[in-house]
Amino acid sequence: MPDTTFRSSSPGVGELFQLLRDGKPKTRAELASACGLARSTVAARIEALLDCGLVAVVDDLGSTGGRPPARVVLNPDAGLMLAIDLGATHGAVGLVDLGGTIRARDHEHLLVTDGPEFVLDRVVDMARKLLGSIDRTPSDLIAAAIGVPGPVEFATGRPSNPPIMPGWDGFDIPAWIREHLHVPTLVDNDVNVMAVGERARAFPDTADLIFVKVATGIGAGIIAGGALQRGAGGIAGDIGHVRAARGSDVACTCGNIGCLEAVASGSAVARQLRATGRDVSSTAEGLKLVRDGDVDAIQAVRQAGRDLGEVLAACVNLINPSVIVIGGSLAQAGEHLLAGVREVVYSRSTPLAAEHLAIVQSSAGPDAGIIGAGALALDSALSADSVNALAA
Amino acid sequence: MPDTTFRSSSPGVGELFQLLRDGKPKTRAELASACGLARSTVAARIEALLDCGLVAVVDDLGSTGGRPPARVVLNPDAGLMLAIDLGATHGAVGLVDLGGTIRARDHEHLLVTDGPEFVLDRVVDMARKLLGSIDRTPSDLIAAAIGVPGPVEFATGRPSNPPIMPGWDGFDIPAWIREHLHVPTLVDNDVNVMAVGERARAFPDTADLIFVKVATGIGAGIIAGGALQRGAGGIAGDIGHVRAARGSDVACTCGNIGCLEAVASGSAVARQLRATGRDVSSTAEGLKLVRDGDVDAIQAVRQAGRDLGEVLAACVNLINPSVIVIGGSLAQAGEHLLAGVREVVYSRSTPLAAEHLAIVQSSAGPDAGIIGAGALALDSALSADSVNALAA
């Protein structure tokens, strides 16, 4: 496929900025060579970036013989990203600098069912307090990204018929954040954001990765060909409602029967344990039984892993990823869940697809959402167009 | 995800060429405005492209009042792409111009099991004859692309453990073609190539499309986020060995049991018809029964569609495409196969994923491979680096 994206103005500024993202100082000559622009053009672009504080000059004091050429480096303090992770029952907010470091973070119990105004009001309040805690103001924010627990029309940032977010359908989240914090905002599905976070944290060089969140529900974020895949309607990765091999008579909350989520989610495991007479009303209580060594609980989690594995085996043949990351609260059951997943994926995927496939537990854990939102906001802030605007 | 691809030399040449791909004449001012380069830069780049014949100047004789600014246009005759489509039992060769038009084509019965030297020798012979038929020589070839019926290590163009291509494992196809025709060659899996061809022919503006080939085997080509997805090991789209909902005891040629290909391929349908006492040894003979109105044959194809639909429903939830194209020989059963696919996909996919999903029969048909190989070769020839090299 041809790349039909064209830079709209000041070609080169965004490219230079991307080259500096690794945090290593570079001379103008190195930058010119790496991006193919003329040295005079690079020099002019660097001046613009220096003028607006996005890059800084470093001196090589330790060098011997002759004056070394000045090197420029990304200035991580030039701006902050606002990273927001909204779940069904929590809201987490972080401030991320241009170097990708989380400078401050906070979270609180927050019900997404309380509706957009109430929830976003709390989030904005948390953001202001965080900014104050590190002596910064909303004017230091360059971009924001927010993950929400439902499908999103990515181009507009509006939730699209989100099943567990009453009152949010079509709500203009970017407009609301812009009105209160004056910052451009990207909105995406929470599991997509977590996939980006997991990749940024643990697999920066992996082009094909599937992140699976197993909690009250089940969803996946897909990175293929190096890019997050959102699909035609922004709902790619919705594996929770794929038909499971087992449990064809189990009703799902979606109205269909036999969905993966109805047999292998944290709530499904809890329900199965209740059927054995145990007093389990949540994923957390089911996990406690697992940790206590309850054989039925361990077997239920292992079987959930197998059910998940059946669906993931199809995903493996279809997408051919090199990494599957299992996250979400039920993943805290650790090897029991992963063992079930691996058992089926490695027996049902084609040998070629399974040969170099790693199936691992999330290493970003509860931070995946904040890290991912920070990375997405940083990407949008550092895109050629945005940097061109900053340096204009 | 950030775009970390940087142009290596003469920035702007490739972009200008991409802008001209639509075949419409454009002034230098229009081009400068569209790609963001300075007018003086655009003028210099256009001179280089004119010098090597890749673009031409058109005169506006019909214009009134004053001399209109000269417009430049892609010169479709500046070079030819060699497009090759290899199947298990056929080889098709086409010559495609820079405007995407097939200028000559041929095909013959060719067994891939005869090994790479024999098969590629025949292909080269066909290419030479085709070139001669339109008074051209191998020196007119700018790029070649070839689809082969097996997994390919895309970076090197070598087949990777291809199950039905004995003798081809690791064979350096690009080196062989380069030695005989002196042209850079891209190699890909045949179904990937057909997906590109189907998109080029019928869905040029669609970013998320799944092409399914149902013939002796079953495979898919996935276009997501506007790009062909090859996966970590070049084997994305291998849906033939996903477990089918039906037939869990049917042995597959891959060594596993219950694969989709073992119950829903053209050969599986033929086998099922033989079990009813009919004398059917191939997909073609099964199709003849369908056309003759044989109820068992129609039901077998419809059921194959349902089996395929079960797996595609999972693909739909995972990838969220806007189009699924069904091709391959069994697709010639037309509405019977598609009806089965639609019946299950629309009942098993989530409402949001199914809402704007079209499931259609291939419109490129047997030409999909040639069209796709031509498009892939054209893309590689028109990539910034290639055009820079041509215009250097």
Side-chain angles (χ1 to χ4, degrees):
Chain A
M1 300 295 101
D3 176 2
T4 52
T5 310
F6 299 101
R7 309 304 180 203
S8 60
S9 62
S10 306
V13 173
E15 284 80 353
L16 290 175
F17 212 77
Q18 291 289 352
L19 284 174
L20 290 165
R21 273 192 75 178
D22 64 8
K24 294 180 187 146
K26 293 179 180 62
T27 66
R28 288 171 176 79
E30 286 166 353
L31 289 167
S33 156
C35 71
L37 292 171
R39 285 204 194 191
S40 56
T41 310
V42 168
R45 302 281 183 272
I46 291 293
E47 281 311 307
L49 288 169
L50 282 168
D51 283 349
C52 62
L54 288 172
V55 303
V57 172
V58 235
D59 287 321
D60 268 323
L61 296 176
S63 171
T64 59
R67 196 168 64 93
R71 297 184 300 164
V72 293
V73 67
L74 187 73
N75 177 9
D77 288 326
L80 288 170
M81 260 42 65
L82 175 61
I84 305 166
D85 169 34
L86 284 186
T89 59
H90 77 268
V93 178
L95 297 174
V96 182
D97 68 24
L98 283 177
T101 303
I102 300 177
R103 302 289 285 269
R105 80 178 88 189
D106 195 12
H107 72 275
E108 63 181 46
H109 183 77
L110 203 52
L111 296 174
V112 78
T113 49
D114 281 337
E117 284 91 353
F118 180 86
V119 168
L120 295 176
D121 201 46
R122 291 296 313 129
V123 162
V124 165
D125 193 50
M126 288 164 78
R128 289 213 172 96
K129 283 187 181 140
L130 282 179
L131 285 164
S133 75
I134 55 169
D135 294 323
R136 306 292 279 268
T137 71
S139 68
D140 292 311
L141 294 175
I142 288 182
I146 173 167
V148 300
V152 173
E153 188 185 66
F154 183 69
T156 63
R158 296 165 187 257
S160 172
N161 294 308
I164 65 162
M165 299 172 70
W168 291 77
D169 185 29
F171 188 85
D172 192 342
I173 300 177
W176 206 93
I177 299 280
R178 186 185 289 272
E179 184 187 333
H180 290 78
L181 292 170
H182 313 288
V183 63
T185 302
L186 174 158
V187 187
D188 208 333
N189 172 265
D190 60 345
V191 187
N192 284 351
V193 175
M194 291 166 82
V196 171
E198 194 66 41
R199 183 190 186 216
R201 165 65 63 92
F203 303 98
D205 301 322
T206 298
D208 302 276
L209 173 151
I210 297 178
F211 175 86
V212 185
K213 179 185 175 189
V214 191
T216 307
I218 296 179
I222 298 164
I223 292 169
L228 181 64
Q229 299 298 337
R230 299 183 172 94
I235 53 168
D238 192 2
I239 64 169
H241 303 285
V242 171
R243 193 199 289 260
R246 182 175 68 111
S248 59
D249 54 343
V250 183
C252 181
T253 53
C254 75
N256 221 322
I257 55 166
C259 298
L260 177 63
E261 190 166 298
V263 299
S265 63
S267 24
V269 167
R271 193 190 60 240
Q272 289 154 22
L273 291 174
R274 277 199 301 280
T276 67
R278 284 165 178 78
D279 181 23
V280 173
S281 65
S282 68
T283 307
E285 288 171 13
L287 283 174
K288 185 173 181 308
L289 284 183
V290 170
R291 278 191 292 267
D292 291 346
D294 182 297
V295 173
D296 285 346
I298 290 172
Q299 286 182 346
V301 168
R302 174 88 174 219
Q303 183 57 44
R306 290 192 195 101
D307 296 329
L308 181 57
E310 283 282 346
V311 173
L312 288 179
C315 299
V316 165
N317 286 2
L318 188 68
I319 309 268
N320 182 207
S322 53
V323 179
I324 292 178
V325 180
I326 312 286
S329 53
L330 198 63
Q332 292 166 26
E335 287 306 314
H336 299 301
L337 185 70
L338 259 72
V341 171
R342 291 193 182 113
E343 181 184 323
V344 176
V345 169
Y346 287 123
S347 78
R348 280 307 316 180
S349 304
T350 60
L352 276 175
E355 194 178 359
H356 299 294
L357 173 67
I359 301 174
V360 301
Q361 196 163 0
S362 164
S363 56
D367 281 344
I370 288 290
I371 297 171
L376 284 171
L378 196 56
D379 283 344
S380 75
L382 297 192
S383 71
D385 284 350
S386 302
V387 179
N388 287 341
L390 287 169
Chain B
M1 299 295 102
D3 175 1
T4 52
T5 312
F6 298 101
R7 308 307 180 201
S8 61
S9 62
S10 307
V13 173
E15 284 80 355
L16 289 175
F17 211 76
Q18 291 289 353
L19 284 174
L20 290 165
R21 274 190 77 178
D22 64 7
K24 294 181 187 145
K26 293 178 180 64
T27 66
R28 289 172 175 80
E30 285 165 353
L31 289 166
S33 156
C35 71
L37 293 171
R39 285 203 191 192
S40 57
T41 310
V42 168
R45 302 281 182 273
I46 291 293
E47 281 310 307
L49 289 168
L50 283 167
D51 284 350
C52 62
L54 288 172
V55 303
V57 172
V58 236
D59 286 321
D60 269 320
L61 297 177
S63 172
T64 59
R67 196 169 64 91
R71 296 184 302 163
V72 293
V73 68
L74 187 74
N75 176 10
D77 289 326
L80 287 170
M81 259 43 62
L82 176 61
I84 305 167
D85 169 34
L86 285 186
T89 60
H90 78 269
V93 178
L95 298 174
V96 182
D97 69 23
L98 284 177
T101 303
I102 300 177
R103 301 290 285 268
R105 79 178 89 189
D106 194 12
H107 71 275
E108 63 181 47
H109 183 77
L110 202 53
L111 296 174
V112 78
T113 49
D114 280 337
E117 284 91 352
F118 180 86
V119 169
L120 294 176
D121 203 44
R122 293 293 314 126
V123 162
V124 166
D125 194 50
M126 288 164 78
R128 288 214 174 93
K129 283 186 181 140
L130 281 180
L131 284 163
S133 75
I134 57 170
D135 293 324
R136 307 292 281 267
T137 71
S139 67
D140 291 312
L141 294 175
I142 288 182
I146 173 167
V148 300
V152 174
E153 187 185 66
F154 183 69
T156 64
R158 296 165 186 257
S160 172
N161 294 305
I164 65 163
M165 300 173 69
W168 291 76
D169 185 29
F171 188 84
D172 192 341
I173 300 176
W176 207 93
I177 300 279
R178 187 185 288 273
E179 184 187 334
H180 291 78
L181 291 170
H182 312 289
V183 63
T185 302
L186 173 158
V187 187
D188 208 333
N189 172 265
D190 60 345
V191 187
N192 284 349
V193 176
M194 292 166 82
V196 171
E198 194 65 41
R199 185 191 186 214
R201 166 65 63 91
F203 303 98
D205 300 322
T206 298
D208 302 276
L209 173 151
I210 297 178
F211 175 85
V212 185
K213 179 186 176 190
V214 190
T216 308
I218 296 178
I222 297 163
I223 292 169
L228 182 63
Q229 299 298 337
R230 298 183 172 94
I235 52 167
D238 192 3
I239 65 169
H241 303 286
V242 170
R243 192 199 290 261
R246 181 175 70 110
S248 59
D249 54 344
V250 183
C252 182
T253 53
C254 75
N256 219 324
I257 56 166
C259 297
L260 177 64
E261 190 166 298
V263 300
S265 63
S267 23
V269 167
R271 193 190 60 240
Q272 290 154 22
L273 290 174
R274 279 199 300 280
T276 67
R278 284 163 177 79
D279 181 23
V280 172
S281 66
S282 67
T283 307
E285 288 172 13
L287 283 174
K288 185 175 179 309
L289 284 184
V290 169
R291 278 191 293 267
D292 290 347
D294 181 298
V295 173
D296 285 345
I298 290 173
Q299 286 181 346
V301 168
R302 173 88 175 219
Q303 182 57 42
R306 290 191 196 103
D307 296 329
L308 181 57
E310 284 282 347
V311 173
L312 288 179
C315 299
V316 165
N317 286 2
L318 188 67
I319 308 268
N320 183 207
S322 53
V323 179
I324 292 178
V325 181
I326 311 287
S329 53
L330 197 63
Q332 292 165 27
E335 288 305 314
H336 300 301
L337 186 69
L338 259 71
V341 171
R342 291 192 182 114
E343 180 184 324
V344 176
V345 169
Y346 287 123
S347 78
R348 279 309 314 180
S349 303
T350 59
L352 276 175
E355 193 178 1
H356 300 294
L357 172 68
I359 300 174
V360 301
Q361 196 164 0
S362 165
S363 56
D367 282 344
I370 289 289
I371 298 171
L376 283 172
L378 195 55
D379 283 343
S380 75
L382 296 191
S383 72
D385 284 352
S386 302
V387 179
N388 288 340
L390 287 169

